[in-house]
Amino acid sequence: MSQTMLTIGLPIALAWMMFCVGLTLSLADFKRVLQFPGKISAGLAAQLIGLPLIAYGLIQLLNLPPVVAVGLWILALAPGGASSNAISHLAGGDSALSITMTAISSLIIPFSLPLLLPIVLPLLLPIVLPDVAATLPVKTAILQLVAVTLMPVVLGMLLKRFIIATWFDKFTHAAGRTALWALFFTVAITLAANTKVFYQLFSVASLAVLLLCLLGMGLGALVAKGFGDDAKLTKTFSIEVGIQNAGTAIFVAVVQLQQPELALTPLLYGILMNIPVVLLIARYRRAFSHAN
């Protein structure tokens, strides 16, 4: 039952969150983002280069067991997930910028991950992976991105553009409230499907994934500060750099490398990353309610 909820319920919940994001966007948002390619380049550099460097430092500093270390490295090379877009929206970030960064990174990662994994990993750890080509299916990655992120966003934007009615304004307001509950639903699904890793929740692997998430968010915030004191940009970069797609990392470990034990670290990450996420959203919601 939990596996069915993970494979069916989770994509539906994520798609609904992205539909709610689309209800808040217009073409003007994307035009504004494309006027600042430097921000997008800086954010992507932090995610695609900075985060793997953080993972490398954690592997060396914590002297992680090989299985945990490999899982952490795969996770650091994975793209940001569709959930990062919804989280950015719920935390008061720049949704258009978040979606743009996720779209670009999701097109880069299927090429960069297969190249970096077999080249760097033997130098990083004293183990030898089996001779399995760690390549992600490009078509599958793009179709997943389109189905879960772009299509719901476009649908929401179209409805907002062409439906002008009082009832739709009420619907938009109500949908925005349900987006937060949809996020909690995805957390519950993840927990239900990954009960077998509960015994690892207080292990060094948990410390490693929490530090990767928090340090990645810190790096994103630091990079954002280079563009001025922009709270929305800081939140967006923090989330995009710190929140990775655990599902992609699990796919690489289980399907591509055929070593399910390497999925332990991404599984823990999928659970524990929700701690800073919920705190960030709760802080924004509290500040927003006080302001209104």
Side-chain angles (χ1 to χ4, degrees):
M1 180 63 179
S2 61
Q3 191 62 32
T4 301
M5 291 297 290
L6 185 64
T7 56
I8 298 177
L10 185 56
I12 292 176
L14 290 177
W16 173 254
M17 284 191 286
M18 297 314 301
F19 172 74
C20 294
V21 172
L23 291 175
T24 68
L25 294 176
S26 65
L27 285 177
D29 294 315
F30 289 93
K31 291 179 180 178
R32 176 176 51 82
V33 169
L34 294 176
Q35 291 175 356
F36 304 98
K39 291 182 180 180
I40 297 176
S41 299
L44 289 173
Q47 180 188 24
L48 301 178
I49 300 174
L51 196 65
L53 289 176
I54 291 174
Y56 177 85
L58 289 174
I59 291 171
Q60 301 299 325
L61 180 64
L62 299 177
N63 193 25
L64 295 176
V67 169
V68 176
V70 175
L72 191 72
W73 185 250
I74 295 174
L75 185 63
L77 296 179
S83 57
S84 68
N85 306 143
I87 292 167
S88 181
H89 169 64
L90 293 172
D94 189 328
S95 297
L97 176 60
S98 175
I99 293 169
T100 302
M101 288 180 61
T102 296
I104 296 174
S105 67
S106 294
L107 294 176
I108 294 174
I109 291 297
F111 300 98
S112 63
L113 195 154
L115 291 174
L116 292 175
L117 188 61
I119 294 175
V120 178
L121 206 52
L123 303 176
L124 186 68
L125 298 166
I127 63 173
V128 179
L129 289 175
D131 187 18
V132 178
T135 56
L136 293 177
V138 177
K139 290 183 179 179
T140 300
I142 294 176
L143 288 175
Q144 182 184 28
L145 175 68
V146 170
V148 180
T149 305
L150 297 183
M151 287 181 62
V153 168
V154 171
L155 177 60
M157 292 176 63
L158 288 174
L159 292 179
K160 177 185 177 182
R161 172 67 177 82
F162 293 106
I163 298 180
I164 303 175
T166 303
W167 68 265
F168 186 73
D169 292 336
K170 294 180 179 179
F171 168 77
T172 300
H173 182 71
R177 291 179 177 272
T178 63
L180 181 59
W181 290 106
L183 175 62
F184 290 152
F185 179 66
T186 63
V187 174
I189 293 175
T190 304
L191 289 173
N194 298 320
T195 53
K196 61 184 178 181
V197 302
F198 282 170
Y199 72 95
Q200 290 280 355
L201 285 177
F202 300 99
S203 67
V204 67
S206 294
L207 176 62
V209 296
L210 269 176
L211 285 175
L212 181 70
C213 181
L214 292 173
L215 291 175
M217 294 178 79
L219 174 63
L222 184 63
V223 171
K225 290 298 182 183
F227 293 93
D229 191 17
D230 187 336
K232 292 188 68 172
L233 182 65
T234 299
K235 291 176 185 177
T236 305
F237 275 14
S238 296
I239 293 167
E240 284 299 314
V241 177
I243 303 301
Q244 294 296 95
N245 192 335
T248 300
I250 293 170
F251 172 82
V252 173
V254 176
V255 178
Q256 298 297 326
L257 298 180
Q258 298 183 7
Q259 292 197 29
E261 65 275 12
L262 298 180
L264 168 64
T265 307
L267 278 172
L268 286 172
Y269 179 87
I271 296 172
L272 295 175
M273 74 172 189
N274 292 291
I275 296 175
V277 164
V278 171
L279 292 176
L280 187 63
I281 293 174
R283 180 183 177 184
Y284 167 71
R285 292 279 171 168
R286 185 167 56 250
F288 182 80
S289 62
H290 288 335
N292 293 274

